Amino acid sequence: MTQQRRRKIIVVFHKKQPTMTLTEEILSQLPGDVLGGLRRADGILASLRDNITPVPMVVKENKQPLGTVDWDVVICGGTLGILIGCALALKGVRVALIERSILRGREQEWNISRKELDVFLQLGLLTDAELEIAIATDYPKARVSFLGGSEIWVEGVLNIGVDPVYLLETLKQKFLAAGGKLFENTPFAGVVVHPDGVMVEAGSRFKARLLIDAMGHLSPITQQVRQGQKPDGLCLVVGSCAQGFPENHYGDILSSFTPLQNQCQYFWEAFPARDGRTTYLFTYMDAHPQRLGLETLFEEYLRLMPEYQGVELNQLTFKRALFGFFPSYRHPLLTPWSRILPVGDSSGSQSPLSFGGFGAMVRHLQRLTFGIDSALQTDQLSAKALVLLQSYQPSLSVTWLFQRAMSVGVDQKIDPNQINQLLSAVFLEMQKLGEPVLKPFLQDVVQFPALTQTLLKTATAHPALVVKTMTQVGLGTLLDWMVHYGNLGVYSALFWLSQRVEPWVENLPRVPKYYCDRWIDSWKYGSGAE
Ligand SMILES: Cc1cc2nc3c(=O)[nH]c(=O)nc-3n(C[C@H](O)[C@H](O)[C@H](O)COP(=O)(O)OP(=O)(O)OC[C@H]3O[C@@H](n4cnc5c(N)ncnc54)[C@H](O)[C@@H]3O)c2cc1C
């Protein structure tokens, strides 16, 4: 081959070699097929947006009695399922936990607030010493900041990193010691609901009185209930844990430093982690097919990282990449079948504003444990009885307006700084009102008095901004929100009243007590009084 021809081949080769994106470059350095995982998640997201996912038909009904059952409860899905499984097993409930792979917590810490973890002690799931080991990180304070606004610092909010590997392993051991049975590599395939029990198909058959669905937001049972309904909103999150950042012992709970880009307002979170610093970029949007996907958002994350953390990418050693999407629906999930109860992400009970599904489960753990145990003891396992365990929460539904106010329509034109201006104004007013207003909101807990004060203060101090935001979210969303806001007030009043009659409820016969307790729980959690 002549020298000239060889040179030509090399030139052609260089021309054909596509340039790697930052995402491809960084993710290809990590062990495992992380890039493939990101693209697979994008594929699932695209089919959700295009509404082409076939509706699974995994739940069937049979009018014949099932007869003797082997279990009180079969829990499908181990990640958060083990929390409720362990709590029920400790109460003497016969529990089988089926998990499609191996029950093991992810490496990345779950961030939560310290006080919320007390439930593990109260339910006897962890000892003080075990809880201290489960707490992998604890940092002093965190920042809330928006482009053009001032910084607000808070203490004790999402400042604890829980080690999922240790937590799940410890709960698994307690679960087994309490008589629970774990079936790994056992994927749920279907369930037949009989009048007196359920027959769960998962390779072998499990006969139980109740099925708890803890298979996450892509649970086939949830998909069957939703019947292909598109999510009303999505929260996309990408991030990483890396070493090499300038020393920083503080966190960011909610931070933005850019105007609207790609029709998205980008929000950032940062947490000191055990093996580096975790940073997340997340954004809210509707489920329109033209919206950006996770890989594009990852590219944005890497592009903006130097500006966010004051560090060049080549100074960082990436430990792992993180990503996910969270569909949310305006209306709570209403499971039509008896003897099936969704918990965790499958139940959609976390705030549409946060991707804190672990935190949401922990906040509801006591309510769910006592509620499920009581439902089993009183045999209240009909759809009507179980719906009270996953009931409507106005404290969650009101946050829909905030999600809308923090996102824009795919073709909507608004001032690119409007969301930053609104959030700066709202948080400034909340800060003036003090920690009892600011802190619960940042912990996904919305209460009527705090919300009312914040709205009044913001509307009085920034009327023009509020009018612009009302136009942005639209009349329909606003009217819908007013109903939930009214209900939040009603639930707060009902919860206050219920506390006056609680001693009387204690003396009721078991079945009416089941219903009264569940209603009181609904008012309590529905008014953000947990
Ligand atoms: C990047 C990222 C960061 C996050 N950070 C936080 C945080 O800091 N704090 C926080 O509170 N939350 C956080 N979350 C959210 C939290 O991780 C989820 O809310 C939580 O994992 C939900 O648990 P789940 O068990 O309900 O669902 P999943 O995590 O989806 O788990 C479902 C389980 O069911 C099993 N399963 C699925 N299908 C079947 C089947 N057919 N048969 C048997 N088993 C099955 C799965 O293997 C899995 O074990 C984060 C999420 C992401 C993506």
Side-chain angles (χ1 to χ4, degrees):
M1 199 187 291
T2 63
Q3 192 75 6
Q4 203 183 6
R5 179 150 162 68
R6 198 176 300 136
R7 206 176 301 125
K8 203 169 170 195
I9 288 173
I10 291 168
V11 169
V12 169
F13 174 75
H14 277 299
K15 267 193 187 154
K16 281 202 171 159
Q17 178 87 329
T19 333
M20 273 181 130
T21 63
L22 285 172
T23 309
E24 287 167 337
E25 202 179 309
I26 303 285
L27 297 196
S28 60
Q29 293 163 19
L30 292 171
D33 182 19
V34 187
L35 189 61
L38 179 71
R39 288 179 176 160
R40 279 190 293 280
D42 252 341
I44 299 171
L45 177 61
S47 53
L48 199 74
R49 284 170 166 166
D50 293 333
N51 219 359
I52 51 169
T53 319
V55 177
M57 296 299 288
V58 287
V59 185
K60 297 196 172 74
E61 286 178 290
N62 184 327
K63 293 214 161 58
Q64 299 302 313
L66 184 62
T68 325
V69 295
D70 306 312
W71 309 98
D72 292 315
V73 176
V74 170
I75 300 178
C76 305
T79 301
L80 294 184
I82 188 69
L83 271 67
I84 191 74
C86 188
L88 290 173
L90 288 173
K91 283 192 157 291
V93 176
R94 294 171 304 160
V95 187
L97 177 57
I98 65 171
E99 164 56 48
R100 73 174 162 195
S101 52
I102 297 292
L103 176 60
R104 191 176 187 277
R106 62 177 201 177
E107 266 181 64
Q108 178 63 32
E109 290 104 334
W110 275 314
N111 278 88
I112 192 164
S113 310
R114 176 68 183 79
K115 216 179 158 314
E116 293 176 332
L117 294 173
D118 285 349
V119 69
F120 286 101
L121 305 176
Q122 287 154 7
L123 293 177
L125 296 173
L126 296 178
T127 62
D128 284 294
E130 286 165 341
L131 182 57
E132 288 318 308
I133 301 173
I135 295 177
T137 54
D138 181 353
Y139 66 89
K141 57 180 182 173
R143 183 177 69 144
V144 177
S145 69
F146 306 101
L147 179 68
S150 49
E151 289 184 350
I152 295 172
W153 288 88
V154 283
E155 288 178 17
V157 178
L158 294 180
N159 63 321
I160 300 291
V162 170
D163 173 358
V165 175
Y166 175 80
L167 179 68
L168 265 54
E169 182 58 31
T170 310
L171 295 181
K172 174 179 141 182
Q173 296 308 333
K174 296 227 165 156
F175 171 71
L176 296 174
K181 291 275 183 294
L182 174 63
F183 299 85
E184 293 179 316
N185 297 313
T186 305
F188 162 87
V191 56
V192 183
V193 182
H194 294 259
D196 54 347
V198 287
M199 169 84 87
V200 178
E201 287 287 348
S204 47
R205 290 177 163 183
F206 296 81
K207 288 190 201 173
R209 297 173 62 205
L210 174 69
L211 181 158
I212 295 181
D213 171 15
M215 290 183 280
H217 60 71
L218 294 175
S219 150
I221 297 181
T222 304
Q223 288 183 47
Q224 188 173 340
V225 180
R226 296 274 185 205
Q227 283 293 308
Q229 184 200 345
K230 260 180 132 176
D232 298 302
L234 284 165
C235 173
L236 266 59
V237 56
V238 295
S240 70
C241 182
Q243 293 172 345
F245 289 100
E247 197 163 309
N248 185 348
H249 300 294
Y250 303 122
D252 275 343
I253 302 178
L254 188 60
S255 174
S256 89
F257 58 91
T258 47
L260 272 188
Q261 311 205 341
N262 291 320
Q263 288 297 92
C264 291
Q265 180 64 57
Y266 296 156
F267 296 103
W268 296 75
E269 272 189 341
F271 303 111
R274 198 171 25 190
D275 52 351
R277 187 167 175 81
T278 301
T279 47
Y280 291 121
L281 164 59
F282 64 99
T283 187
Y284 307 112
M285 59 188 69
D286 55 31
H288 196 286
Q290 277 169 18
R291 294 290 195 170
L292 55 75
L294 289 167
E295 192 170 346
T296 311
L297 192 63
F298 215 106
E299 196 65 16
E300 289 289 88
Y301 165 77
L302 294 171
R303 177 178 73 82
L304 291 165
M305 175 66 83
E307 192 181 342
Y308 175 44
Q309 292 287 295
V311 68
E312 290 306 321
L313 289 183
N314 59 16
Q315 291 174 269
L316 297 177
T317 308
F318 286 88
K319 308 299 283 179
R320 51 191 168 269
L322 310 152
F323 48 84
F325 64 86
F326 294 86
S328 47
Y329 297 83
R330 262 165 193 261
H331 300 292
L333 187 74
L334 285 180
T335 315
W337 310 287
S338 297
R339 298 180 183 273
I340 296 183
L341 177 71
V343 301
D345 279 9
S346 70
S347 67
S349 62
Q350 76 274 37
S351 156
L353 289 184
S354 99
F355 48 98
F358 167 69
M361 178 68 170
V362 169
R363 275 196 297 284
H364 288 261
L365 194 54
Q366 191 151 39
R367 174 184 76 80
L368 285 171
T369 306
F370 288 116
I372 295 168
D373 188 37
S374 175
L376 288 166
Q377 283 189 30
T378 54
D379 209 24
Q380 296 305 303
L381 299 169
S382 66
K384 194 178 98 210
L386 289 179
V387 86
L388 293 175
L389 288 168
Q390 48 169 134
S391 57
Y392 162 65
Q393 295 174 61
S395 56
L396 269 192
S397 300
V398 284
T399 56
W400 264 104
L401 183 76
F402 312 146
Q403 211 219 46
R404 273 291 141 86
M406 288 155 89
S407 58
V408 280
V410 77
D411 297 317
Q412 197 173 10
K413 301 259 175 297
I414 66 162
D415 172 352
N417 280 316
Q418 185 169 312
I419 296 175
N420 281 313
Q421 287 163 3
L422 176 75
L423 289 171
S424 302
V426 170
F427 274 87
L428 195 66
E429 296 309 325
M430 282 205 272
Q431 189 193 27
K432 286 187 201 157
L433 288 165
E435 280 209 346
V437 170
L438 185 59
K439 263 192 171 181
F441 184 82
L442 289 170
Q443 288 167 319
D444 284 339
V445 176
V446 177
Q447 294 157 340
F448 186 75
L451 180 61
T452 307
Q453 289 178 66
T454 309
L455 291 177
L456 286 175
K457 282 257 182 191
T458 313
T460 321
H462 312 273
L465 193 54
V466 171
V467 171
K468 273 203 244 173
T469 307
M470 284 159 87
T471 322
Q472 177 195 335
V473 298
L475 187 64
T477 308
L478 208 58
L479 291 175
D480 186 54
W481 176 82
M482 285 169 93
V483 175
H484 300 304
Y485 175 66
N487 288 343
L488 184 65
V490 173
Y491 271 49
S492 307
L494 287 170
F495 178 58
W496 182 84
L497 279 175
S498 70
Q499 286 177 303
R500 282 30 256 142
V501 297
E502 225 165 0
W504 173 77
V505 172
E506 284 308 308
N507 298 323
L508 284 173
R510 286 186 339 149
V511 172
K513 184 172 179 314
Y514 170 82
Y515 286 92
C516 284
D517 283 341
R518 300 296 74 76
W519 276 113
I520 293 174
D521 277 353
S522 315
W523 299 329
K524 181 176 174 181
Y525 285 80
S527 63
E530 65 258 31

